[in-house]
């Protein structure tokens, strides 16, 4: 059992024991609280790029067809075929960037299939299903109709006000086709033939696409390359890409979780052509999914997965522990990158992240890779976004996998049904961090102790991130404990708190989730914050994500 009075003082950077400096902000030996949070305005960590709140939309299962694209003639309210409710929701969360068309699909995709008149576009075998046979998938998924291509995706982004991030096919198309796709998107009106093709579709102005992925998971579905082989391919694709006046930010396929050798091998090979070779790389894409809930019994991808909705408290903590690995992956790859790139010109782009469960919880049966996000995934997502906030100079972009009808989705939709998941609500709450100055923050709280199949296991008691926006401070905090609130004293070093407001996402049931029928089971609730001065006290509910907005003196 946890000792409520036993403080484990840890910094959010996970660097071990860190004592508060004296004189303390806090009342000595306060008996009314068991936890403390100290925010340090004098220790800025960097500006939080809005792009770490990015999204990922692959042509997979129900993500594009039924999720984003309903078609112009649909009875579902739409804007030129794009689901209107989705656009409205994404505007609310200030979605900054969206990745398309994959994922693994990207390395099979011919961008030319998705341009030109809709009725002339080829109908292809569905990449993810593989065969045109009757199966559990909805009939609309059986073939790929190519109705949602580059024009529609960029239009979707324009409606939201976010930047498109296109993933180019390195495995099965040539470098020349990559250049042509850039030309189609970015060549100015009235210049090239492809600019005219774009204009004929109603898009005279260039799309000005800045972010380009050069392949995806090139260590696996994207070509099964070695890091060295991929580096050679990357150099070939990235050399002399036409710019059309648009600065391009090229993202190289990076490591799968802790594959340190990929990061080393790639950079080593890139640098064989000298240090300038790094100049063409904006980011290295790290992919990390939390999937193994077997408590150490197996590393088998299928056998190790857990259930999205039916889980116990141990599964809850195990998933969070897996998610917590993100920080060490960022730091580990960053350290290696620094060995080759001392100035850290190349940043990390975590363009796929989230929990991945076994099939069975789909809101729409047959939507492959769709799962039901619960409160557990909201807490996981808050914790992960806090991790990115704490590493603003390392992580330039991150994309949650995936936006709708998929893994860690913000939204679920089927025909005219739609709901915002608990994960979507976390993105809504955390949007307030975008563009803020990340501040080092010290959390101290009783450690969570639990029984992992007869062996004691622990997890941190409170964690989060803080960002400053002039006189307004945004503090987001995760309480992972399934049943205990954390009574916490909060102070900002060197200044006083004038007043505050809180928004809390929680539920008495850790399995709680939103469905098409019950859309508002887990929704953010406003709570009052009392007190002002050198410190205030707030009670973080069990199993919760909280946003505090504090006005400073
Ligand atoms: O997000 C689902 C899949 O996971 C992506 O297509 C692939 O890149 C990753 O393995």
């Amino acid at each position: 059992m946890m000792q409520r009075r036993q403080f484990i003082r840890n910094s959010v950077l996970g660097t071990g024991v860190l004592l508060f400096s004296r004189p303390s902000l806090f009342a000595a030996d306060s008996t009314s609280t068991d936890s403390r949070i100290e925010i340090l305005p004098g220790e800025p960590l960097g500006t939080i790029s809005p792009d770490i709140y990015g999204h990922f939309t692959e042509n997979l299962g129900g993500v594009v067809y039924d999720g984003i694209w309903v078609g112009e003639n649909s009875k579902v309210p739409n804007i030129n075929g794009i689901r209107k409710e989705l656009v409205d929701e994404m505007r609310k969360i200030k979605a900054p960037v969206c990745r398309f068309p994959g994922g693994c699909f990207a390395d099979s995709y011919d961008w030319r299939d998705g341009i030109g008149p809709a009725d002339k576009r080829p109908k292809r075998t569905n990449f993810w299903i593989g065969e045109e046979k009757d199966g559990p998938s909805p009939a609309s998924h059986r073939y790929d109709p190519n109705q949602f291509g580059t024009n529609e995706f960029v239009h979707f982004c324009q409606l939201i006000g976010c930047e498109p991030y296109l993933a180019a096919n390195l495995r099965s198309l040539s470098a020349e086709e990559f250049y042509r796709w850039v030309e189609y998107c970015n060549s100015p009106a009235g210049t090239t033939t492809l600019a005219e093709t774009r204009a004929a579709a109603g898009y005279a102005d260039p799309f000005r696409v800045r972010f380009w992925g050069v392949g995806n998971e090139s260590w696996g579905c994207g070509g099964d390359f070695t890091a060295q082989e991929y580096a050679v391919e990357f150099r070939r694709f990235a050399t002399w890409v036409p710019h059309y006046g648009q600065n391009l930010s090229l993202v190289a396929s990076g490591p799968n979780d802790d594959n340190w050798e990929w990061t080393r091998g790639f950079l080593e090979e890139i640098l064989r052509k000298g240090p300038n070779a790094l100049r063409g790389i904006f980011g290295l894409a790290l992919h990390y999914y939390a999937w193994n809930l077997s408590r150490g019994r197996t590393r088998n991808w299928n056998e190790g997965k857990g259930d999205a909705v039916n889980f116990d408290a141990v599964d809850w903590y195990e998933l969070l522990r897996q998610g917590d690995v993100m920080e060490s992956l960022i730091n580990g790859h960053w350290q290696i990158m620094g060995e080759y790139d001392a100035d850290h010109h190349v940043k990390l782009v975590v363009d796929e992240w989230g929990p991945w469960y076994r099939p069975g919880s789909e809101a729409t049966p047959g939507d492959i890779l769709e799962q039901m996000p619960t409160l557990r995934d909201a807490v996981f997502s808050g914790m992960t976004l806090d991790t990115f906030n704490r590493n603003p100079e390392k992580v330039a972009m991150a994309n949650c996998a995936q936006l709708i009808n998929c893994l860690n989705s913000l939204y679920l939709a089927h025909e005219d049904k739609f709901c915002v998941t608990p994960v979507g609500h976390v993105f809504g709450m955390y949007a307030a961090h975008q563009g803020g100055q990340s501040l080092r923050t010290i959390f101290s709280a009783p450690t969570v102790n639990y029984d992992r199949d007869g062996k004691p296991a622990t997890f941190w008691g409170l964690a989060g991130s803080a960002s400053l926006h002039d006189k307004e401070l945004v503090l987001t905090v995760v309480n992972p404990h399934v049943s205990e609130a954390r009574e916490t004293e909060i102070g900002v070093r060197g200044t006083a708190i004038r007043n505050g407001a809180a928004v809390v996402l929680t539920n008495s049931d850790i399995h709680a989730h939103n469905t098409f029928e019950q859309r508002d089971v887990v929704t953010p609730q406003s709570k009052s914050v009392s007190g002002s001065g050198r410190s205030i006290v707030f009670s973080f509910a069990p199993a919760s994500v909280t946003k505090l907005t504090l006005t400073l003196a």
Side-chain angles (χ1 to χ4, degrees), residues 2 5 59 119 136 166 276 288 317 366 377 395 471-472 483 542:
M2 186 180 62
R5 289 282 139 206
N59 186 6
D119 59 347
L166 291 173
N276 280 345
Y288 177 59
Y317 293 126
D377 304 298
V395 184
K471 287 279 178 203
E472 196 173 89
S483 56

Side-chain angles (χ1 to χ4, degrees), residues 246-326:
Q246 170 65 52
N247 279 334
L248 302 184
S249 296
L250 301 185
V251 179
S253 175
N256 189 29
D257 51 53
D258 64 353
N259 187 350
W260 317 118
E261 288 319 308
W262 180 272
T263 301
R264 276 187 200 290
F266 172 73
L267 291 171
E268 231 162 60
E269 179 60 44
I270 285 285
L271 284 167
R272 270 155 58 90
K273 291 291 287 181
N276 280 345
L278 286 175
R279 297 273 145 232
I281 312 174
F282 167 76
L284 187 63
L286 163 67
H287 287 185
Y288 177 59
Y289 289 99
W291 60 272
N292 194 337
L293 294 182
S294 74
R295 305 176 194 179
R297 278 191 290 273
T298 178
R299 296 184 62 123
N300 181 287
W301 173 249
N302 294 318
E303 290 164 17
K305 294 213 193 77
D307 195 275
V309 180
N310 301 307
F311 55 84
D312 59 18
V314 177
D315 293 326
W316 165 285
Y317 293 126
E318 289 287 298
L319 184 86
L320 298 185
R321 257 159 62 120
Q322 290 237 334
D324 201 37
V325 169
M326 181 65 89

Side-chain angles (χ1 to χ4, degrees), residues 56 58 60 103-104 128 216-217 289 352 356 369 402 407:
F56 173 32
E58 178 161 9
L60 188 173
C104 292
W128 283 98
N216 167 76
E217 297 196 349
Y289 289 99
E352 291 188 28
W356 192 325
L369 300 197
Q402 300 192 16
L407 300 169

Side-chain angles (χ1 to χ4, degrees), residues 225-506:
F225 295 111
T226 64
Q228 291 76 10
E229 288 166 346
Y230 170 67
V232 173
E233 290 297 308
F234 177 88
R235 272 206 312 259
R236 201 159 61 79
F237 269 62
T239 306
W240 218 266
V241 187
H243 280 220
Y244 302 102
Q246 170 65 52
N247 279 334
L248 302 184
S249 296
L250 301 185
V251 179
S253 175
N256 189 29
D257 51 53
D258 64 353
N259 187 350
W260 317 118
E261 288 319 308
W262 180 272
T263 301
R264 276 187 200 290
F266 172 73
L267 291 171
E268 231 162 60
E269 179 60 44
I270 285 285
L271 284 167
R272 270 155 58 90
K273 291 291 287 181
N276 280 345
L278 286 175
R279 297 273 145 232
I281 312 174
F282 167 76
L284 187 63
L286 163 67
H287 287 185
Y288 177 59
Y289 289 99
W291 60 272
N292 194 337
L293 294 182
S294 74
R295 305 176 194 179
R297 278 191 290 273
T298 178
R299 296 184 62 123
N300 181 287
W301 173 249
N302 294 318
E303 290 164 17
K305 294 213 193 77
D307 195 275
V309 180
N310 301 307
F311 55 84
D312 59 18
V314 177
D315 293 326
W316 165 285
Y317 293 126
E318 289 287 298
L319 184 86
L320 298 185
R321 257 159 62 120
Q322 290 237 334
D324 201 37
V325 169
M326 181 65 89
E327 191 131 27
S328 59
L329 295 178
I330 291 170
N331 287 324
H333 287 293
W334 189 251
Q335 190 187 321
I336 294 170
M337 288 158 75
E339 290 169 24
Y340 298 89
D341 175 22
D343 299 339
H344 280 296
H345 167 79
V346 182
K347 308 291 185 204
L348 278 166
V349 169
V350 188
D351 60 16
E352 291 188 28
W353 67 267
W356 192 325
Y357 305 106
R358 60 172 170 252
S361 67
E362 301 83 358
T364 304
D367 270 4
I368 55 168
L369 300 197
E370 183 177 299
Q371 58 196 31
M372 178 58 73
T374 68
L375 180 62
R376 176 173 60 165
D377 304 298
V379 169
F380 179 102
S381 300
M383 181 184 85
T384 304
L385 294 171
D386 284 325
T387 302
F388 297 148
N389 285 343
R390 294 194 297 265
N391 291 281
E393 306 222 298
K394 301 174 192 143
V395 184
M397 190 205 291
N399 309 73
C400 181
Q402 300 192 16
L403 180 73
I404 184 166
N405 292 347
C406 196
L407 300 169
N408 199 39
S409 294
L410 285 77
Y411 312 105
L412 297 172
H414 179 50
E415 297 171 347
D416 58 353
K417 292 176 282 204
F418 184 89
C419 70
V420 181
T421 73
V423 174
H425 287 307
V426 168
F427 273 81
M429 290 162 66
Y430 277 58
H433 278 299
Q434 294 186 14
Q437 183 60 238
S438 178
L439 301 178
R440 194 163 83 79
T441 301
I442 302 167
F443 293 78
S444 61
T447 302
V448 177
N449 296 292
Y450 66 98
D451 184 305
R452 192 184 194 238
D453 293 342
K455 294 205 180 103
T458 60
F459 194 64
W460 44 254
L462 279 184
S465 63
S467 63
L468 191 61
H469 312 248
D470 298 322
K471 287 279 178 203
E472 196 173 89
L473 192 129
V474 177
L475 172 67
T476 46
V477 179
V478 163
N479 176 5
H481 202 291
V482 292
S483 56
E484 292 187 11
R486 293 270 78 92
E487 203 68 21
T488 307
E489 194 173 5
I490 302 167
V492 184
R493 193 182 289 179
T495 190
I497 298 167
R498 271 194 205 283
N499 54 57
V503 177
V504 182
L505 191 76
T506 189

